[in-house]
């Protein structure tokens, strides 16, 4: 089978290879495993961090990718699944249900000790796969797992977003941010966004945001409060980190929450005494447990939500086009590879 692997390359600056290679197709299953024929996979920013050598626990030679959808072509034991079922894979292992954090050794799939899904076939333990929401195309289903899980935990478990609240989602062009927008809008919140790009703000408004500001404008905090009618914010769902926290402290109401799942600007947040005196809570947020993954899929099915897919390319060989797009930051939503041409179903 064809697979996309991470291969060490000694360049400066570091940029390891993402290489399509031939590997043996898995032939035998252990009890409780399922063999999936993968029909689509999607990228997350972490694949770029891995290529740049800026990600912990990289295992060279391993298959990349945490996000995939496929059909079951073989199954051993269990009664939950049958051949032909369309399933998505939980993008991490070792975190069952504890809302505080992983109970066991925790791995995100792809490029690490837990091999990834960017291959024509993938063997999964049955407890780590779930029926893909029926209303989604393969590209949309592939776009959902990691970004959906991260957004679900940041919005609901950590951000506690609820109806009528004012919510800011930063960097709306990102895959996670766009799903956070869908979750927050469907929960009845008044959602505002920030972006480096006016066109992305307009697209977010078409998806239900009330408005947005350009985070490159020094006065973005004032601009935001102006378009929100002078009101304070209840929650910020953040991927920027760095100095933006100073502005969050100003625009949040007392007891406001910042749920931070990434630090695109710099990997430090300074919490001032002003934030302490305002009872502001900074909550780190990551992907999530298997239970949250299942809850996220149920939520997406119930509200018929659709992840925004920016681009779909054909075949693993197109991976570099996705990496170039991610580097440029031009995408609005998720970057997907369709593997369907090789599908026998
Ligand atoms: N903690 C976790 O488990 C977890 C899980 C997933 C992702 N992450 C992290 O979250 C971040 C986003 O991931 P992704 O996969 O959604 O990335 P992505 O699809 O590549 O999007 C990145 C987005 O970051 C935004 N951005 C860049 N500079 C910014 C700034 N100064 N202020 C605000 N936003 C800024 C951009 O928004 P505009 O284009 O709108 O300007 C861009 O679209 C990455 O840092 C990633 O490592 C963490």
């Amino acid at each position: 089978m064809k697979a996309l692997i991470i291969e060490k390359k000694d360049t400066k600056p570091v940029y390891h290879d993402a290489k399509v290679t031939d590997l043996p197709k898995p032939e035998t299953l252990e009890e409780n495993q399922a063999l999936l024929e993968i029909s689509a996979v999607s990228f997350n920013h972490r694949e770029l961090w891995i290529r740049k050598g800026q990600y912990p626990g990289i295992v060279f030679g391993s298959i990349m990718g945490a996000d995939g959808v496929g059909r079951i072509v073989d199954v051993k034991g269990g009664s939950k699944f049958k051949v032909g079922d369309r399933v998505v894979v939980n993008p991490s292992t070792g975190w069952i249900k504890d809302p505080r954090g992983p109970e066991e050794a925790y791995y995100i799939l792809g490029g690490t000790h837990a091999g990834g899904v960017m291959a024509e076939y993938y063997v999964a333990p049955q407890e780590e796969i779930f029926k893909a929401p029926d209303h989604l195309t393969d590209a949309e289903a592939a776009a959902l797992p990691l970004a959906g899980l991260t957004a679900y935990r940041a919005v609901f478990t950590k951000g506690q977003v609820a109806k009528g609240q004012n919510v800011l989602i930063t960097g709306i062009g990102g895959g996670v941010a766009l799903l956070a927008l869908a979750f927050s809008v469907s929960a009845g919140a008044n959602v505002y966004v920030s972006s480096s790009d006016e066109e992305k703000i307009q697209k977010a408004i078409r998806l239900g945001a009330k408005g947005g500001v350009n985070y490159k404008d020094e006065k973005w905090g004032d601009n935001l409060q102006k378009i929100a009618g002078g009101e304070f914010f209840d929650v910020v769902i953040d991927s920027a980190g760095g100095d933006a926290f100073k502005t969050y402290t100003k625009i949040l109401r007392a007891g406001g929450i910042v749920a931070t799942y990434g630090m695109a600007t710099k990997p430090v947040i300074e919490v001032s005494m002003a934030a302490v005196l305002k009872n502001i809570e900074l909550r780190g947020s990551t992907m999530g447990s298997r239970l949250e993954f299942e809850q996220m899929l149920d939520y997406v099915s119930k509200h018929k939500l659709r992840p925004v897919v920016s681009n779909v390319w054909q075949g693993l060989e197109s991976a570099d086009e996705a990496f170039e797009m991610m580097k440029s930051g031009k995408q609005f939503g998720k970057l997907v590879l369709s593997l369907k041409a090789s599908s026998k179903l």
Side-chain angles (χ1 to χ4, degrees), residues 170 238-244 248 260 262-266:
T170 62
D238 185 46
S239 64
D243 297 334
Y248 305 156
T260 294
M263 296 204 186
T265 55
K266 66 174 176 187

Side-chain angles (χ1 to χ4, degrees), residues 43-46 48-49 55 106 108 146-147 150 170-178 194-197 200 215-216 238-241 244 248 260-265 285-288 326 329-335:
F43 289 84
N44 294 287
H45 214 93
R46 68 184 288 274
L48 191 55
W49 299 132
Y55 198 83
Y106 180 69
I108 300 169
L146 192 151
T150 309
T170 62
I172 201 60
V176 179
L178 277 164
S194 76
S195 177
S196 56
D197 183 339
K200 292 185 183 183
Y215 57 71
K216 296 216 160 146
D238 185 46
S239 64
Y248 305 156
T260 294
Y261 63 87
M263 296 204 186
T265 55
S285 195
T286 56
M287 290 166 60
M326 202 184 291
K330 287 196 181 121
Q331 76 275 14
F332 183 77
K334 298 281 290 180
L335 306 175

Side-chain angles (χ1 to χ4, degrees), residues 61-342:
S62 68
I63 299 175
M64 299 185 78
D67 280 344
V69 61
R71 291 205 182 266
I72 294 182
V73 289
D74 196 6
V75 61
K76 191 161 178 192
S79 56
K80 206 169 139 200
F81 297 106
K82 58 181 188 319
V83 168
D85 285 347
R86 191 177 72 135
V87 295
V88 287
V89 183
N90 180 10
S92 57
T93 66
W95 191 351
I96 319 300
K97 62 179 184 183
D98 187 342
R100 291 168 307 174
E103 298 92 344
E104 299 169 10
Y106 180 69
Y107 295 106
I108 300 169
L109 305 190
T112 62
H113 278 293
V117 299
M118 288 184 173
E120 289 176 310
Y121 294 91
Y122 179 76
V123 175
Q126 288 186 47
E127 63 272 14
E128 299 290 10
I129 52 177
F130 296 87
K131 289 230 172 92
D134 285 334
H135 67 288
L136 299 182
T137 63
D138 277 355
E140 289 166 338
L144 186 60
L146 192 151
L149 180 56
T150 309
Y152 186 87
R153 182 169 170 80
V155 168
F156 294 123
T157 313
K158 293 302 194 92
Q160 295 176 351
V161 167
K163 195 172 175 183
Q165 288 187 335
N166 291 336
V167 175
L168 167 65
I169 300 172
T170 62
I172 201 60
V176 179
L178 277 164
L179 277 153
L181 172 66
F183 293 151
S184 304
V185 167
S186 68
N190 307 312
V191 185
Y192 296 83
V193 302
S194 76
S195 177
S196 56
D197 183 339
E198 179 58 27
E199 208 180 313
K200 292 185 183 183
I201 293 173
Q202 291 309 319
K203 284 183 181 169
I205 290 172
R206 289 200 283 280
L207 291 169
K210 298 245 182 254
V213 292
N214 190 324
Y215 57 71
K216 296 216 160 146
D217 187 328
E218 264 181 37
K219 293 202 166 137
W220 70 263
D222 296 338
N223 297 344
L224 183 66
Q225 271 198 314
K226 220 176 274 168
I227 61 169
E231 285 189 33
F232 284 97
F233 280 74
D234 298 276
V235 185
V236 179
I237 307 295
D238 185 46
S239 64
D243 297 334
F245 191 77
K246 279 190 202 132
T247 309
Y248 305 156
T249 303
K250 283 192 199 144
I251 65 168
L252 279 167
R253 69 161 168 80
I257 296 170
V258 180
T260 294
Y261 63 87
M263 296 204 186
T265 55
K266 66 174 176 187
V268 178
I269 290 179
E270 273 181 39
V271 179
S272 65
M273 194 60 198
V276 171
L277 291 174
K278 221 173 164 184
N279 282 279
I280 284 169
E281 289 189 51
L282 172 61
R283 299 182 176 178
S285 195
T286 56
M287 290 166 60
S289 67
R290 189 194 293 163
L291 179 63
E292 285 172 308
F293 186 63
E294 196 171 6
Q295 288 168 344
M296 182 275 291
L297 293 172
D298 287 348
Y299 190 91
V300 164
S301 294
K302 185 173 161 210
H303 294 270
K304 296 275 180 289
L305 302 180
R306 292 179 176 279
V308 178
V309 174
S310 180
N311 296 68
V312 183
W313 291 274
Q314 189 60 47
L316 293 170
E317 293 79 3
S318 304
D320 259 329
E321 290 179 59
F323 280 109
E324 288 310 308
M325 171 77 86
M326 202 184 291
K327 276 195 264 177
S328 77
K330 287 196 181 121
Q331 76 275 14
F332 183 77
K334 298 281 290 180
L335 306 175
V336 172
L337 300 181
S338 168
L339 310 191
K340 263 196 173 151
S342 61

